[in-house]
């Protein structure tokens, strides 16, 4: 083994210096990206327009490169411009300095309000940044910084790229960049200084000029003039003299149906706190030279009142508390609760009765009592009345979640017919604030799948929302819902129509709860008509009256009505569920039915016309019966059963489960032909001697085909026959026709059992948890919130808000049409509504502060309103006329008054109006002499120094030099761009 290891020890490593190192690979990758992005050569663009950095479009593209295992992201930022002349890109422009060097001297876009920090500091329209890819990574050591800068310099030299290339160093929050730009014989170095504490000698212009001159190191004795741009920013935080116009609601108030200063059915609106936290005034001196002004540690000529340019921006409060947003958010939180109404109201039978009755002898009786858990065999009526007894027994009036005044006010608002002696029979009360029926706002419920804004469901949603926020929270919601269900039961049992619901079958465009209430109303209508018909039948009733309602009892049933006279006052559910009792009225027509059935099979017209026609509605205009020529009468038919969307879904599932077999298809057809059979029986009763062809001609004209043919005598006659699908053997229409008996609609078994359907609806309502209820009504609440926002926006007329509202409506219509929308998407909608509310509140706050309503002159008022709207939509707004303009004077007064509040110890002086303060202090010069400052110390000082000097030698080319300085309370930054001629150096 030792002998084998000896040759291995003699092997030595050979270093191949032709292999690229990691550093060379890194440089190569930078060059490759620059080539891919076509940043090679010099492309001169148009001169920059004023404000283009803010109004123009900035784009960026990124790639990823790595130095060994350390990843960097390289990003190209550029201003999109329409390049009119691209011929210069292909030419070699040796005598022209790079575009970025020319931009250093451009004064059109100093201090842009919204831009990348490098754009603000250096005025660049295009640049590339290399930064660590991960947020937690940072280039901290000086050697690594120099290595990266060397890589950048080599890559720029190799590619001929004239776009500035920056490297981000230190931690990202410090925003420290170093970089370089190279041209033909010229180079610009971008350097930066960042300090927490400011040296005293650099807090003013003279000290910064010293730094700039020493850094340039100009060899010329008369230094070329330095151009200076200065901006001081003043912050106004005290709005004490201008109260926020939104008054918070008085939660305890309840006078004349008002809660919290709001009527039931109306949502609150506005911010509870001032949504504008600060006003930033930027005073700018754009073009100054070194000898014109004095600014040192002893004296300064920079008076903000004398600044030629003023611009203002407002700082908005983060997430201000808004009433409408809070209302909707709190209601949405109910959707996540899991308690039932029984659990919330504390109606546990065993717990509460166990506390009151300690005697063991009551144990058996307690166990035998009905449990509060809903059991299908128990009627909903018993459950609800038992629940109400328990709630009264175990909870005193003072402990009730809703006091009687609030509850009565709500119930009168929901059911206005309860206040009048005579019920309104379902007619809804008109509200002037509701959108006009048929308008775009009114039809929003179609998009949101909610309910019309004048409906009971919509009003109920608003009341529950208000109860949840102001009165009792979740317990109050459960209490009101319980009372609502009791009211529905009362109206069903006493034939009182539910107000605030459109007549007719359930509207499938609305929410399911609205459909259920409409279904209950349909049941009440049928039951009411039937009960009234029974009362009318006891008196003289004409046979023609039966045509008005197909399900009313006719005069042929008078002898059967004798047995039921004592039952007129009873509810229909006491006898209508029994089919035997329902069909007793057919006993006197058994013989007729038998004859009609036999005649229908034989087809003999004599036998078919042997009984008297019944249930005729009116005569058809043209058609006559084919076999006997008698006029064809349209019969009184039963209306099809109304269906809610959940019943339709259940029916479709049942039909789908029957499968695709022949037997399943036949059974499915029979289930779907109940209405057809009823109409056939009505048709036979109204038209004795009719045949299937007659029925088809009226019921489905397309299935009766008529052709012109020549008869035996040579005359042109019309000959008709059934369509091909009607001639198929075992056709459902033929089977139904043979089965149908001549029975008028009033004697047929009901297609729509209103008693059963009403009990199903009442049971459905009774077992709803508050969370389920909130899910049903949330579309109505969102619908109401959108209408409220639109109403408030119309008062302010903010164009940006109009666009956002349209987006909310589009987004909501997509989300709310799904049966179970995701919570996250619902939260997004609520958040958007809250944002719009905050924008409108900000507009009102600014209008109150700038006094737009107090302006007497129309022009000044329009200017102020335009100024306020710009403040909301733009990042920074120029004040026309600076401190001497109308808006400038108002801003000046705001600052003067804030200074009086902070500096003066005299309360009377502190509360004096700003106009009197200005008059008392005289002109600005007098106030300065009295050492009274109208403005606080500037929160930020920004300076830009520019010049063009030859570097590094007197005979070098004169190149642009620039230094930006920003000084705040806890931050000091210098960003310099210093150019030099590299032709001989």
């Amino acid at each position: 083994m030792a002998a084998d290891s000896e040759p291995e020890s003699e092997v030595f490593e050979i270093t191949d210096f032709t292999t690229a190192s990691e550093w060379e690979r890194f440089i190569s990758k930078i060059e490759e990206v620059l080539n891919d992005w076509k940043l090679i050569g010099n492309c001169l663009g148009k001169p920059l327009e004023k404000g283009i950095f803010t109004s123009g479009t900035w784009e960026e593209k990124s790639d990823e490169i790595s130095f060994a295992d350390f990843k960097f992201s390289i990003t190209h930022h550029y201003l999109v411009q329409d390049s009119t002349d691209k011929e210069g890109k292909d030419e070699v422009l040796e005598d022209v300095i790079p575009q970025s060097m020319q931009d250093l001297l451009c004064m059109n876009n100093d201090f842009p309000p919204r831009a990348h920090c490098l754009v603000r500091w250096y005025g660049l329209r295009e640049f590339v940044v290399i930064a660590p890819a991960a947020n937690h990574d940072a280039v901290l050591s000086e050697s690594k910084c120099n290595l990266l800068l060397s890589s950048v310099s080599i890559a720029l030299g190799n590619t001929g790229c004239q776009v500035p290339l920056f490297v981000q160093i230190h931690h990202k929050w410090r925003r420290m960049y170093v970089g370089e730009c190279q041209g033909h014989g010229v180079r610009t170095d971008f350097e930066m200084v960042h300090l927490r504490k400011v040296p005293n000698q650099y807090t003013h212009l003279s000290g910064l000029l010293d730094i700039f001159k020493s850094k340039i190191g100009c060899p010329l004795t008369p230094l070329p003039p330095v151009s200076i741009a200065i901006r001081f920013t003043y912050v106004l935080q005290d709005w004490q003299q201008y109260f926020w116009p939104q008054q918070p609601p008085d939660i305890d108030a309840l006078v004349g149906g008002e809660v919290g200063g709001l009527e039931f059915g109306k949502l609150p609106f506005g911010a509870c706190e001032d949504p504008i936290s600060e006003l930033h005034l930027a005073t700018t001196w754009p073009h100054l030279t070194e000898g014109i002004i004095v600014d040192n540690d002893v004296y300064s000529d920079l008076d903000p009142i004398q600044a030629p340019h003023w611009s203002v921006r407002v700082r908005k409060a983060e997430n201000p508390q808004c009433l409408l947003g809070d209302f909707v958010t709190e209601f949405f939180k109910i959707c996540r609760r899991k308690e039932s109404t029984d659990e919330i109201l504390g109606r546990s039978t065993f717990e509460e009765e166990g506390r009151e009755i300690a005697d063991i002898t009551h144990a058996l009786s307690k166990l035998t009592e009905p449990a509060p858990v809903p059991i299908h065999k128990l009627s909903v009526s018993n459950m609800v009345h038992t629940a109400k007894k328990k709630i009264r027994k175990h909870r005193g009036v003072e402990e009730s979640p809703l006091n009687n005044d609030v509850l009565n006010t709500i119930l009168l608002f929901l059911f206005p017919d309860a206040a009048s002696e005579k019920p309104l029979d379902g007619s809804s009360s008109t509200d002037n604030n509701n959108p006009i029926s048929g308008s775009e706002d009114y039809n929003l419920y179609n998009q949101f799948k909610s309910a019309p804004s004048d409906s009971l469901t919509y009003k109920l949603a608003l009341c529950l929302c208000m109860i949840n926020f102001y009165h009792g929270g979740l317990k109050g919601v459960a209490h009101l819902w319980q009372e609502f269900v009791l009211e529905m039961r009362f109206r069903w049992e006493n034939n009182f129509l539910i107000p605030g619901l459109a007549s007719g079958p359930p509207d499938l465009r609305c929410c399911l709860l609205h459909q259920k209430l409409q279904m209950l109303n349909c049941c009440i209508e049928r039951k009411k008509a039937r009960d009234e018909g029974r009362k009318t039948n006891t008196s003289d009733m004409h046979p023609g009256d039966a045509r008005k309602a197909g399900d009313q009892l006719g005069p042929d049933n008078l002898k059967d009505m004798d047995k039921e006279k004592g039952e007129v006052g009873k509810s229909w559910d006491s006898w209508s569920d029994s089919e035997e009792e329902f069909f007793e009225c057919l006993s006197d027509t058994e013989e007729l039915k038998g004859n009609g059935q036999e005649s229908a099979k034989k087809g003999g017209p004599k036998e078919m016309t042997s009984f008297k026609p019944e249930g005729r509605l009116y005569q058809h205009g043209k058609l006559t019966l084919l076999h006997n020529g008698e006029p064809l009468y349209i019969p009184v038919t039963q209306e099809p059963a109304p269906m809610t969307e959940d019943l339709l879904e259940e029916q479709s599932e049942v039909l789908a489960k029957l499968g695709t077999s022949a037997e399943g298809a036949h059974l499915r057809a029979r289930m779907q032909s109940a209405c057809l059979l009823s109409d056939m029986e009505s048709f036979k009763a109204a038209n004795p001697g009719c045949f299937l062809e007659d029925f088809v001609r009226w019921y489905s004209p397309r299935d009766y085909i008529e052709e012109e043919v020549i008869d035996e005598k040579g005359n042109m006659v019309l000959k008709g026959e059934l369509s091909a699908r009607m001639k198929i053997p075992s056709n459902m229409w033929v089977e139904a026709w043979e089965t149908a008996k001549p029975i008028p609609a009033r004697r047929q078994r009901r297609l729509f059992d209103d008693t059963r359907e009403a009990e199903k609806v009442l049971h459905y309502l009774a077992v709803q948890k508050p969370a389920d209820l909130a899910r049903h009504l949330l579309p109505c609440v969102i619908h109401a919130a959108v209408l409220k926002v639109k109403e408030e926006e119309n008062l302010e007329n903010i164009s940006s808000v109009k666009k956002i509202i349209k987006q909310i409506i589009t987004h909501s219509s997509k989300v709310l049409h799904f049966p179970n929308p995701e919570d996250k998407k619902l939260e997004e909608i609520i958040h958007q509504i809250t944002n719009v509310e905050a924008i409108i509140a900000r507009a009102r706050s600014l209008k109150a502060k700038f006094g737009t309503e107090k302006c007497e002159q129309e022009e000044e008022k329009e200017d102020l309103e335009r100024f306020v709207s710009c403040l909301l939509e733009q990042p920074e707004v120029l004040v026309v006329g600076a401190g001497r303009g109308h808006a400038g004077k108002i801003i000046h007064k705001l600052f003067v008054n804030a200074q009086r509040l902070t500096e003066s110890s005299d309360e009377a002086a502190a509360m004096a109006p700003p106009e009197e303060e200005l008059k008392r202090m005289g002109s600005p010069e007098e106030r300065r002499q009295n050492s009274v400052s109208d403005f606080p110390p500037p929160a930020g000082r920004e300076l830009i120094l520019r010049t063009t000097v030859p570097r590094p030698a007197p005979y070098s080319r004169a190149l642009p030099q620039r230094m930006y300085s920003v000084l705040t309370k806890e931050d000091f930054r210098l960003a310099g761009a210093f150019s030099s001629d590299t032709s001989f150096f």
Side-chain angles (χ1 to χ4, degrees), residues 94-138:
E94 294 186 0
D95 296 334
V96 180
I97 63 174
Q99 181 72 68
S100 58
M101 289 190 186
Q102 298 180 30
D103 290 344
L104 293 176
L105 298 178
C106 179
M107 296 184 179
N108 288 337
N109 292 283
D110 291 346
F111 316 112
R114 185 186 295 159
H116 192 281
C117 59
L118 290 174
V119 176
R120 188 177 184 86
W121 297 338
Y122 297 115
L124 301 173
R125 70 176 78 181
E126 184 179 22
F127 55 94
V128 178
V129 176
I130 298 175
N135 287 326
H136 58 273
D137 289 338

Side-chain angles (χ1 to χ4, degrees), residues 904-963:
S904 176
S905 59
D906 185 3
E907 292 185 4
M911 296 306 293
E915 293 86 353
E916 294 181 13
E917 287 291 322
L918 284 174
K919 291 176 184 176
R920 184 171 61 85
M921 297 311 301
S923 64
E925 289 78 9
E926 293 176 8
R927 290 197 296 275
R928 195 183 304 119
Q929 292 173 3
N930 294 334
S931 70
V932 176
S933 174
D934 292 351
F935 291 86
R941 300 167 181 256
E942 295 174 273
L943 287 90
I944 299 176
L945 307 178
R946 300 183 185 88
T947 188
T948 304
V949 296
R951 288 181 73 219
Y955 51 82
S956 299
R957 198 188 322 184
L959 296 173
Q961 320 292 329
R962 171 180 172 131
M963 189 179 78

Side-chain angles (χ1 to χ4, degrees), residues 39 47 88 145 223 255 282 305 320 324 329 421 454 633 748 760 900 915 979:
L39 300 180
C145 295
L223 186 68
V255 181
I305 294 293
L324 180 63
T329 303
E421 295 181 2
D454 55 356
Y633 285 88
Q748 295 173 10
K760 284 169 65 176
R900 297 292 85 77
E915 293 86 353
S979 306

Side-chain angles (χ1 to χ4, degrees), residues 328-340:
V328 182
T329 303
E330 290 300 318
F331 189 76
F332 175 65
K333 289 179 181 177
I334 301 178
C335 298
R336 295 174 176 168
R337 302 296 292 264
K338 297 181 180 180
E339 301 94 334
S340 66

Side-chain angles (χ1 to χ4, degrees), residues 45-74:
K46 301 185 296 183
L48 292 171
E49 300 174 6
K50 192 170 185 64
I52 190 66
F53 284 170
T54 303
S55 61
T57 303
W58 286 87
E59 291 186 0
E60 61 181 57
K61 44 189 173 184
S62 298
D63 205 341
E64 195 171 272
I65 57 177
S66 57
F67 193 130
D69 56 350
F70 195 93
K71 292 184 178 180
F72 290 91
S73 66
I74 179 168

Side-chain angles (χ1 to χ4, degrees), residues 391-465:
I391 218 173
R392 288 173 180 169
K393 183 177 181 181
H394 298 297
R395 187 162 31 84
V397 178
E398 68 281 354
E399 297 176 7
S400 179
L402 294 177
N403 62 53
N404 288 335
D405 291 337
V406 175
L407 186 59
N408 291 336
T409 305
I410 295 173
L411 292 177
L412 281 176
F413 170 70
L414 294 176
F415 306 103
D417 58 342
S420 60
E421 295 181 2
K422 188 176 180 181
L424 299 176
D425 289 347
S427 61
S428 58
S429 60
T430 57
D431 188 353
N432 295 331
N433 294 322
N434 281 334
I436 301 171
S437 179
S439 66
E440 182 183 350
D441 287 350
Y442 184 84
N443 291 328
L444 266 182
Y445 74 91
N446 294 340
Q447 301 180 48
F448 286 6
K449 200 171 175 62
S450 57
S453 55
D454 55 356
S455 66
L456 173 65
T457 315
Y458 185 92
K459 294 177 181 178
L460 175 65
L462 297 186
C463 288
L464 288 172
C465 198

Side-chain angles (χ1 to χ4, degrees), residues 34 116 386 534 541 554 639 802 805 876 911 955:
L34 294 177
H116 192 281
T386 306
R534 291 172 59 209
M541 177 175 169
E639 293 182 13
K802 292 183 191 294
I805 291 174
E876 193 170 280
M911 296 306 293
Y955 51 82

